[in-house]
């Protein structure tokens, strides 16, 4: 198992809960006499997978200690000594995080025993449930293991035995995980930071130097010698696919397929199957590859060439969207063990194909971080483990000098896939509970920054559902209300928290039938109230992530056209920029708050992407990404190309500065947000940031002038 990333959500944390029994309570003198350990995965305890051993301390066990744990000299007679037990324990722990109650004591005992036995012992990464409990329940009368179990209603079986206390500790940790999440402590790094805060307060109150309690620093960077090939994260599948796809009817023979393979210089043909599972809209689609040809020839010899393609084609064909990143195609092909993928457009029509030849030639030196794990996660634990890889991916890409907008696009793609998968899992759970299939076709949309492809590590939920028919609070709407609740709850547990503004499909305002959505858009556009402007703002950035019947795309385009048709509405959107205040002072100083940080979203990004949105409505540029929308204004001659490229560069600098801060914050257990500590910037970075912020008024002016 690889070392656990700091960004790992606690609900997906692979840990070993450990407890020891000793000859005394003075860690500098006590000797080890018993070890108990259990594996844990977030809230799930592996009772069947444990490590338990008595240890012969080589010294008499004091009677006072025996009265506590019941272990005597006779009990440990014949047991292995520490020199034999510790290597076995180390093998059991591996790279897992060790969890315990007052775990620093146990770690000191194990370190001292290793030193006494003259054996190597690497201190594992640790987490202490005592300060974690204090972080979520600061008013308890005590934080001993007995107090915590009483508070949580946990029965301790085998108190003061190593395995009994380890089991109780594991149950306490499992019960703390959801409480920690409610307190905003979601990841391993955030848990460590909370422990440091509690320890620091206690140390100050006791008048002693602050201790680290084993909360050693961990970094997101790649391990020594490990690099990431950024190609799969910078390019989309449509850039490497072969097109047009070669299609043949199912009645054609293998001979005709071979002729097509040779003539077109491809390694597969798609087969229009008369029956079978539907692979694309308009009928079933199968695939015949070079390997299928060879297998058939080996089995039948010359006669194979007259075999109808329907007999040998594999169906349904596996497909991926043309705008997917290459890394996802690589991950999907590896997971499925296939060499060919169909490429489909928004209408699920096959428009091309990719093979391992297209993709894996870029993989030879790649330390892959992301693959297709989110697209296939079976539950919250698997999704959380996959989502935890995203900060490391962002760190490595920025370390390779990749444009931060590319990293943001990858993060956004993972949020979209995560939302889609949450919807699929939610629908599956509803079927399992007897609620049946969806009563009518529907689409799930992701709104806001993820829809624009500009999300960073501080993303929360922004989603909506559009369904074909059904009245508010009718049976159809209630089904989708339940689905929206599943989506929101799954995302929150995984690590994408609830939207504080309530923009989630579980809320009726963001879950409507198609006709009601059109009426809502009409009200937004014509009434132009402040709250309407805010809502339609993020809806213009919507992207469908589950949309088999095109409902989501249809509603998004309707909103776009209505916004474009109403000049007064566009003017009202541009007027929202009047309240913007520059964070740059007269002499180039960046104004910060009491926390020493500047809000780069409000101070820079928001006016740029809002201006770009207004300009796209003005020009009719059908685009979601801010740079594409801005460049549409240059093509429409609303602004010069030089002006626009300066704004595009300002957008890049702002995103990059904010992403770098968020990567650092995630690493240190600080919840990422829109604020940047400007003191961490070097001279060149500060100058670039000041220049970018000084470009913001140009975006506002261009947007407002475009309304004239």
């Amino acid at each position: 198992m690889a070392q656990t990333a700091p960004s790992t959500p606690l609900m997906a944390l692979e840990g070993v809960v450990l407890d020891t029994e000793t000859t005394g309570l003075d860690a500098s003198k006590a000797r080890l006499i018993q070890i108990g350990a259990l594996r844990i995965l977030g809230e799930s305890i592996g009772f069947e997978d444990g490590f338990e051993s008595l240890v012969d301390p080589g010294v008499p066990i004091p009677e006072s200690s025996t009265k506590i744990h019941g272990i005597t000299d006779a009990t440990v007679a014949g047991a292995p000594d520490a020199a034999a037990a510790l290597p076995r324990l180390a093998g059991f722990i591996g790279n897992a995080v060790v969890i315990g109650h007052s775990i620093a004591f146990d770690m000191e005992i194990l370190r001292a025993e290793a030193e006494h036995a003259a054996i190597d012992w690497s201190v594992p990464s640790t987490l202490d449930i005592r300060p974690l409990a204090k972080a979520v329940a600061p008013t308890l009368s005590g934080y001993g293991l007995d107090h915590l179990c009483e508070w949580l209603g946990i029965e301790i079986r085998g108190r003061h035995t190593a395995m009994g206390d380890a089991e109780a500790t594991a149950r306490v940790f499992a019960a703390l995980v959801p409480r920690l999440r409610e307190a905003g402590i979601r990841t391993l790094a955030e848990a460590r930071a909370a422990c440091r805060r509690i320890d620091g307060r206690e140390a100050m109150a006791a008048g002693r130097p602050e201790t680290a309690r084993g909360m050693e620093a961990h970094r997101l960077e790649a391990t020594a010698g490990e690099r990431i090939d950024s190609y799969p994260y910078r390019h989309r599948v449509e850039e490497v696919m072969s097109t047009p796809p070669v299609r043949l009817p199912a009645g054609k023979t293998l001979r005709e397929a071979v002729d097509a393979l040779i003539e077109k210089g491809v390694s597969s043909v798609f087969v229009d199957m008369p029956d079978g599972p539907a692979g694309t809209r308009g009928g079933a689609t199968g695939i015949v590859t070079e390997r299928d040809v060879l297998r058939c020839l080996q089995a039948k010899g010359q006669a194979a060439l007259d075999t109808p393609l329907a007999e040998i084609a594999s169906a349904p064909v596996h497909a991926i969207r043309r705008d997917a990143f290459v890394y996802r195609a690589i991950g999907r092909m590896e997971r499925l063990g296939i060499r060919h993928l169909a490429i489909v457009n928004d209408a699920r029509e096959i428009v091309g194909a990719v093979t391992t030849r297209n993709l894996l030639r870029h993989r030879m030196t790649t330390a892959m971080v992301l693959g297709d794990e989110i697209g296939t996660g079976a539950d919250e634990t698997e999704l959380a483990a996959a989502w935890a890889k995203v900060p490391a991916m962002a760190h490595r890409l920025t370390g390779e000098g990749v444009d931060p907008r590319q990293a943001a696009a990858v993060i956004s793609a993972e949020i979209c896939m995560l939302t889609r998968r949450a919807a699929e899992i939610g629908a599956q759970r509803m079927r399992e509970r007897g609620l049946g299939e969806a009563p009518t076709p529907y689409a799930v949309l992701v709104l806001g920054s993820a829809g624009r492809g500009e999300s960073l590590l501080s993303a929360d939920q922004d989603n909506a559902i559009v369904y074909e028919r059904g009245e508010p609070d009718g049976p159809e709407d209630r089904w989708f209300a339940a689905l929206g609740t599943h989506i929101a709850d799954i995302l929150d547990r995984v690590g994408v928290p609830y939207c504080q503004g309530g923009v989630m499909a579980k809320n009726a305002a963001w879950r409507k039938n198609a006709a009601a959505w059109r009426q809502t858009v009409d009200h937004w556009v014509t009434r132009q109230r402040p709250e309407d402007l805010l809502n339609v703002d993020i809806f213009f950035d919507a992207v469908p992530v589950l949309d088999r019947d095109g409902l989501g795309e249809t509603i998004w385009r309707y909103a776009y056209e209505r916004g474009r048709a109403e000049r007064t509405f566009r003017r009202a959107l541009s007027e929202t920029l009047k309240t913007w205040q520059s964070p740059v002072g007269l002499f180039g100083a960046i104004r910060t708050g009491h926390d020493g940080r500047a809000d780069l979203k409000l101070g820079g990004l928001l006016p740029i992407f809002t201006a770009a949105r207004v300009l796209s409505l003005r020009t009719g540029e059908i685009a979601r990404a801010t740079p594409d929308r801005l460049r549409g204004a240059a093509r429409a001659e609303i602004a010069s190309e030089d002006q626009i490229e300066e704004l595009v560069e300002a957008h890049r600098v702002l995103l990059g500065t904010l992403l770098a801060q968020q990567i650092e914050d995630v690493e240190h257990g600080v919840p990422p947000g829109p604020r940047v500590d400007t003191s961490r910037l070097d001279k060149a970075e500060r100058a670039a940031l000041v220049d970018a912020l000084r470009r913001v008024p140009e975006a506002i002016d261009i947007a407002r002038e475009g309304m004239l």
Side-chain angles (χ1 to χ4, degrees):
M1 183 180 70
Q3 190 175 41
T4 306
S7 55
T8 301
L10 294 177
M11 69 164 297
L13 181 65
E14 295 184 52
V16 166
V17 182
L18 179 141
D19 187 76
T20 62
E21 295 299 330
T22 64
T23 59
L25 298 178
D26 185 344
S28 66
K29 299 176 182 178
R31 299 299 300 273
L32 180 66
I33 58 175
Q34 191 179 42
I35 307 169
L38 286 169
R39 294 200 186 280
I40 192 168
L41 178 58
E43 300 167 51
S44 177
I45 304 169
F47 293 108
E48 71 290 345
D49 189 5
F51 176 94
E52 187 172 14
S53 179
L54 288 166
V55 179
D56 185 349
V59 298
I61 300 174
E63 184 178 349
S64 58
S65 297
T66 298
K67 288 180 180 179
I68 296 174
H69 47 57
I71 301 173
T72 66
D73 293 337
T75 308
V76 298
D81 61 10
L86 290 186
R88 291 175 50 225
L89 175 62
F92 181 79
I93 293 173
N95 286 326
V97 175
V98 174
I99 302 166
H101 184 274
S102 297
I103 192 65
F105 175 85
D106 302 277
M107 290 298 101
E108 178 57 24
I109 291 293
L110 295 176
R111 185 205 62 76
E113 288 288 0
E115 182 178 329
H116 181 80
I119 61 174
D120 291 334
W121 173 259
S122 297
V123 178
S125 170
T126 61
L127 202 56
D128 196 334
I129 67 165
R130 195 197 63 79
L132 289 179
K134 195 166 188 178
V136 297
T139 60
L140 293 182
S141 60
Y143 295 90
L145 187 57
D146 293 295
H147 285 94
L148 297 181
C149 287
E150 182 181 358
W151 167 51
L152 295 167
I154 294 169
E155 178 187 357
I156 306 181
R157 294 173 291 190
R159 181 69 168 113
H160 295 305
T161 66
M163 186 57 81
D165 287 357
E167 180 180 322
T169 300
R171 292 182 185 277
V172 170
F173 178 77
L176 284 176
V177 169
R179 290 171 169 80
L180 288 164
R181 185 167 59 245
E182 292 172 3
I185 301 170
R186 296 171 169 270
T187 68
L188 175 59
E190 291 169 2
R192 286 183 176 134
C195 289
R196 287 194 296 269
R197 287 194 298 271
I198 297 297
D199 288 343
R201 291 171 192 160
E202 292 181 347
M204 290 180 64
R208 67 180 188 272
E210 183 176 351
T211 60
R213 301 182 70 95
M215 300 298 127
E216 65 283 351
H218 287 260
R219 303 192 64 80
L220 292 169
E221 60 208 21
T223 56
E226 191 177 51
R227 295 182 68 250
I228 184 172
D229 178 359
S230 62
Y231 183 93
Y233 302 92
R234 291 186 290 111
H235 295 275
R236 310 271 182 169
V237 173
E238 61 189 352
E239 300 175 51
V240 298
M241 70 180 182
S242 57
T243 188
V246 179
R247 304 187 72 116
L248 290 175
K252 293 290 186 179
T253 65
L254 185 61
R255 185 189 309 277
E256 291 168 302
V258 171
D259 291 341
L261 291 174
I262 295 172
E263 178 186 349
K264 301 297 184 181
V266 295
S267 59
S268 64
V269 296
F270 296 108
V271 181
D272 298 321
M273 306 287 283
D275 300 301
T280 61
R281 183 178 291 183
T285 300
I287 187 171
V288 172
T289 70
E290 291 172 331
R291 285 196 168 194
D292 295 325
V293 173
L294 293 174
R295 289 192 190 100
C296 195
L297 286 170
Q298 183 184 37
K300 297 184 178 182
Q302 186 72 19
L305 294 175
D306 296 320
T307 303
L309 295 181
E311 294 184 15
I312 60 173
S314 300
V317 65
H318 294 288
I320 196 167
R321 286 171 55 102
R322 65 185 301 161
D323 59 353
F325 282 99
V326 167
Y327 75 84
R328 194 176 298 283
I330 292 174
R332 186 161 301 179
M333 293 170 81
E334 289 192 343
R335 174 176 60 84
L336 296 172
I338 60 177
R339 295 171 175 263
H340 299 77
L341 270 178
I343 309 305
V344 298
N345 60 16
D346 293 339
R348 297 291 296 172
E349 299 164 338
I350 294 176
V351 294
V354 292
T355 69
T356 51
R357 243 175 258 161
N358 300 108
L359 301 177
L360 299 186
R361 67 172 181 265
H362 304 292
R363 179 73 188 278
M364 297 304 292
T365 61
T366 300
M368 285 291 285
V369 177
L370 302 178
D372 199 33
E373 295 98 329
I374 286 179
T376 59
D379 54 28
E380 289 92 331
T381 299
E382 291 186 9
L383 292 176
W387 178 245
K389 296 180 179 181
V390 171
M393 174 280 304
H395 194 177
R396 295 183 191 183
L397 287 183
T398 55
E400 292 290 318
V402 172
D403 189 321
R405 288 170 297 196
Q406 285 296 130
V410 173
I411 295 170
S412 300
E414 293 300 298
I415 291 173
C416 289
M417 181 57 73
L418 193 60
T419 306
R420 176 192 175 105
R421 192 67 192 118
E424 292 171 340
I425 292 172
Q428 177 184 340
R429 290 176 179 173
M430 291 172 68
R431 289 192 295 271
E432 292 170 352
R433 293 171 186 172
L435 297 178
E437 300 286 348
T440 183
Y442 69 98
V444 177
L445 298 90
V446 168
L447 317 178
S449 58
R452 295 195 306 275
E454 296 166 10
S455 273
L456 299 180
L457 300 178
S458 59
D460 60 4
Q461 299 181 35
D462 286 312
N463 54 69
I465 288 177
V466 52
Y467 52 90
E468 190 173 74
R469 62 184 181 277
E471 297 304 314
D473 203 32
E476 296 89 353
D477 184 63
R478 288 195 292 272
W479 193 94
F480 291 110
L483 178 62
T485 299
H486 276 296
I487 293 171
D489 291 347
I490 290 170
L491 290 175
D492 182 70
R493 285 172 61 82
V494 167
V496 181
Y498 298 121
C499 174
Q500 294 184 355
V503 183
M504 295 173 287
K506 72 173 187 175
N507 297 324
W510 298 97
R511 179 191 72 249
K512 301 177 184 182
N513 65 45
W517 268 118
R518 290 187 179 90
Q519 292 175 354
T520 297
V521 169
D522 291 341
H523 284 307
W524 283 344
V525 168
T526 56
R527 290 188 299 182
Q528 300 163 21
R529 298 181 305 176
E531 61 268 32
D532 295 331
L533 295 175
L534 175 63
N535 288 337
V536 77
D537 245 10
I538 61 172
F539 199 82
F540 279 133
D541 300 335
V543 61
V545 296
L546 193 61
D547 193 17
R548 295 186 179 91
D549 292 86
L551 282 171
E553 188 73 16
T554 299
I555 290 297
W556 177 71
R557 288 184 177 269
Y558 179 82
Y560 216 92
E561 291 304 318
R562 288 292 286 117
R564 186 179 177 218
E566 294 288 342
R567 182 174 180 179
T568 57
F569 168 71
R570 301 198 310 272
R571 186 186 298 277
L573 280 182
S574 68
E575 289 298 306
T576 63
L577 297 170
K578 290 172 62 176
T579 60
W580 175 79
Q581 293 183 334
S582 174
V584 179
L586 182 63
F587 299 105
I590 301 175
R591 286 191 288 268
T592 60
H594 66 278
D595 58 355
R597 295 191 174 205
D599 190 327
L600 292 195
K601 180 177 180 180
L602 288 178
L605 285 172
L606 187 146
I608 290 179
F609 67 65
T610 300
R613 190 186 290 125
V614 171
L615 290 169
S616 71
L617 292 173
R618 168 70 175 83
T619 63
E621 186 79 21
I622 301 296
R624 291 181 173 91
T626 295
D628 295 339
R629 289 171 166 177
L630 288 172
R631 288 176 174 133
R635 288 189 288 273
E637 299 183 349
I638 293 175
S640 71
E641 186 173 336
D642 287 345
Q643 281 180 299
I644 292 300
E645 289 307 316
E646 287 172 351
L647 286 176
V648 169
E649 173 61 12
H651 181 254
R652 183 194 70 78
V653 170
L654 289 165
L655 268 180
T657 305
L658 187 50
L659 179 58
Q661 179 69 67
Q662 291 186 359
I663 289 170
E664 183 175 304
D665 286 345
V666 167
E667 178 183 334
H668 291 96
V670 178
R675 303 178 69 81
V676 166
D677 177 6
T678 56
S679 67
R680 61 179 291 276
L681 304 177
D682 62 29
K683 185 176 180 180
E685 291 169 336
R686 180 182 291 271
L689 177 58
V690 169
D691 184 64
L693 291 170
R694 282 176 168 165
R695 298 288 180 189
V696 173
E698 296 179 28
I700 297 173
D701 290 343
I702 292 170
R704 297 182 67 188
E705 289 170 6
M707 296 300 102
L708 298 178

